[in-house]
Amino acid sequence: MISAAIQRVLAEKSGSFLIPASKIAIVEEDNPLYHAFLILTKVKYAKILVLNKQGQITGLLSLAMITDKMLDLDGISVKPLNKYQVKDVMETDFVSINFTEKDIETQLHLLVDNNFLPVVDDQGGFQGMITRREWFKAFNYLARTFDDHYVTVDKKQVLKLEAEN
Amino acid sequence: MISAAIQRVLAEKSGSFLIPASKIAIVEEDNPLYHAFLILTKVKYAKILVLNKQGQITGLLSLAMITDKMLDLDGISVKPLNKYQVKDVMETDFVSINFTEKDIETQLHLLVDNNFLPVVDDQGGFQGMITRREWFKAFNYLARTFDDHYVTVDKKQVLKLEAEN
């Protein structure tokens, strides 16, 4: 169980964790790799979200997934960029969380191994993402303001005092 | 000022924050882009550290910095990969922290805008890196174990009790 005091301070900030879908660049799963190569070169995301025609997240794509397809026996070639589509190279094994998921503990746990978490509604529609960056802002807030909210007493000292009295 | 109680719990874990240089793939600043393209495609880091011949960190390199150099008026070309070196495209404006820097508050602040922090010794020699990932493990530990270490009392309730008595 997560500390209730920590949870309460983090909850003050958790409303700002979600970056809305409208602010996030995406690619579509049937875009040619050529298009995705240009987008990822310009937006500079480490990974971009891939959507299908229904607006559902179907994968994640990095430049390395594209450039890996450019390697052949003769070296590096641009030909695969017109030959393949995003869905041919994207990663489909990824974690997402539900829009209604307010559980801070789950997010905290999943962000150890994921730089961001895509957020979806009940129909699987893309709603936005939660990033480690926004969480770091909240941790800074927590560490700086915790003592304004709470008096903390070391349990070891409590036990010592009890033993002495 | 950071909360002393939070600092104390995080400090228990901060010894494990540094990933040593020996475990981190790097490129050299005079490597051809061709070489760096292959390395970044295979190691899958979002950014790789660039070292000079003296083992000092001189820049950071992402695949997007390389692929941006591949764009020309006619489209995408592999020719620049043999023509340019890492130092021609790398980012040189980056933050690093000193090996002896134990200040948790500084790290916490810098990690809002940086996915990792390169760590150097007094001579600028590369010692390793501190990542958001290791920090997230520590936050999980903090949130789960804080109540084992401390009794917390809400200051608002303290004030209310004082007013009532």
Side-chain angles (χ1 to χ4, degrees):
Chain A
M1 270 294 288
I2 195 168
S3 155
I6 288 180
Q7 179 137 14
R8 223 167 293 134
V9 179
L10 285 176
E12 288 178 32
K13 289 283 156 184
S14 64
S16 62
F17 284 2
L18 183 77
I19 298 172
S22 59
K23 291 192 175 174
I24 302 167
I26 57 101
V27 292
E28 291 186 18
E29 60 179 16
D30 55 3
N31 286 153
L33 284 192
Y34 201 95
H35 175 80
F37 182 101
L38 296 177
I39 297 285
L40 276 165
T41 297
K42 291 305 181 187
V43 300
K44 298 184 173 67
Y45 295 175
K47 280 187 183 171
I48 199 164
L49 293 168
V50 182
L51 302 194
N52 63 12
K53 292 281 182 214
Q54 290 74 47
Q56 294 163 322
I57 304 167
T58 53
L60 302 178
L61 181 74
S62 68
L63 265 174
M65 293 172 203
I66 300 176
T67 56
D68 195 51
K69 206 73 177 174
M70 296 169 71
L71 308 184
D72 61 27
L73 290 175
D74 302 325
I76 299 168
S77 165
V78 297
K79 281 182 199 155
L81 296 179
N82 281 315
K83 190 172 164 194
Y84 295 100
Q85 294 182 337
V86 167
K87 61 171 170 273
D88 298 322
V89 305
M90 70 187 188
E91 166 182 42
T92 55
D93 183 20
F94 64 93
V95 178
S96 65
I97 60 169
N98 193 282
F99 194 51
T100 56
E101 176 67 78
K102 302 286 182 200
D103 179 9
I104 284 178
E105 195 169 2
T106 303
Q107 292 183 21
L108 194 51
H109 180 70
L110 291 173
L111 285 167
V112 171
D113 284 321
N114 299 281
N115 203 25
F116 63 87
L117 300 172
V119 179
V120 296
D121 60 24
D122 287 338
Q123 285 72 46
F126 171 47
Q127 295 295 318
M129 59 163 72
I130 284 169
T131 64
R132 282 182 180 158
R133 183 171 190 274
E134 296 306 311
W135 264 90
F136 260 87
K137 290 185 195 168
F139 290 138
N140 274 278
Y141 176 77
L142 171 74
R144 282 197 321 266
T145 67
F146 193 76
D147 290 355
D148 301 338
H149 293 76
Y150 292 98
V151 178
T152 51
V153 185
D154 191 325
K155 283 197 178 175
K156 271 186 233 135
Q157 289 177 330
V158 176
L159 292 172
K160 211 177 143 200
L161 282 170
E162 280 172 359
E164 281 170 3
N165 285 300
Chain B
M1 270 294 290
I2 195 168
S3 155
I6 287 181
Q7 180 137 15
R8 221 167 294 134
V9 179
L10 286 176
E12 287 178 32
K13 289 282 154 183
S14 65
S16 61
F17 284 2
L18 183 77
I19 299 173
S22 59
K23 290 193 176 174
I24 302 167
I26 57 101
V27 292
E28 293 186 17
E29 58 180 17
D30 55 3
N31 285 154
L33 284 192
Y34 201 95
H35 174 80
F37 181 102
L38 295 177
I39 298 286
L40 275 165
T41 297
K42 291 305 181 186
V43 300
K44 299 183 173 67
Y45 295 175
K47 280 186 183 174
I48 199 164
L49 293 167
V50 182
L51 302 194
N52 64 12
K53 292 282 181 213
Q54 290 74 47
Q56 294 163 323
I57 304 167
T58 53
L60 302 179
L61 182 74
S62 68
L63 264 175
M65 294 172 203
I66 301 176
T67 56
D68 195 51
K69 205 74 178 171
M70 295 169 72
L71 308 185
D72 60 28
L73 291 175
D74 302 324
I76 301 168
S77 164
V78 297
K79 281 182 198 154
L81 295 179
N82 281 315
K83 192 173 163 194
Y84 295 101
Q85 294 182 336
V86 167
K87 61 171 171 274
D88 299 322
V89 304
M90 71 186 186
E91 164 181 44
T92 55
D93 182 20
F94 63 93
V95 178
S96 65
I97 59 170
N98 192 282
F99 194 51
T100 55
E101 176 68 75
K102 300 286 183 200
D103 179 9
I104 283 178
E105 196 169 1
T106 303
Q107 292 183 21
L108 193 50
H109 180 69
L110 292 173
L111 285 168
V112 171
D113 284 320
N114 298 281
N115 203 24
F116 62 86
L117 301 171
V119 179
V120 297
D121 60 25
D122 288 338
Q123 285 72 48
F126 172 47
Q127 295 295 318
M129 60 163 72
I130 284 170
T131 64
R132 282 182 180 159
R133 183 171 190 274
E134 295 307 310
W135 263 91
F136 259 88
K137 290 186 197 168
F139 290 136
N140 274 280
Y141 175 77
L142 171 74
R144 281 198 320 266
T145 66
F146 193 77
D147 290 353
D148 301 338
H149 293 78
Y150 293 98
V151 178
T152 51
V153 185
D154 192 326
K155 283 195 179 175
K156 272 186 235 137
Q157 290 178 328
V158 175
L159 292 171
K160 208 177 143 201
L161 282 171
E162 281 173 359
E164 283 169 2
N165 285 299

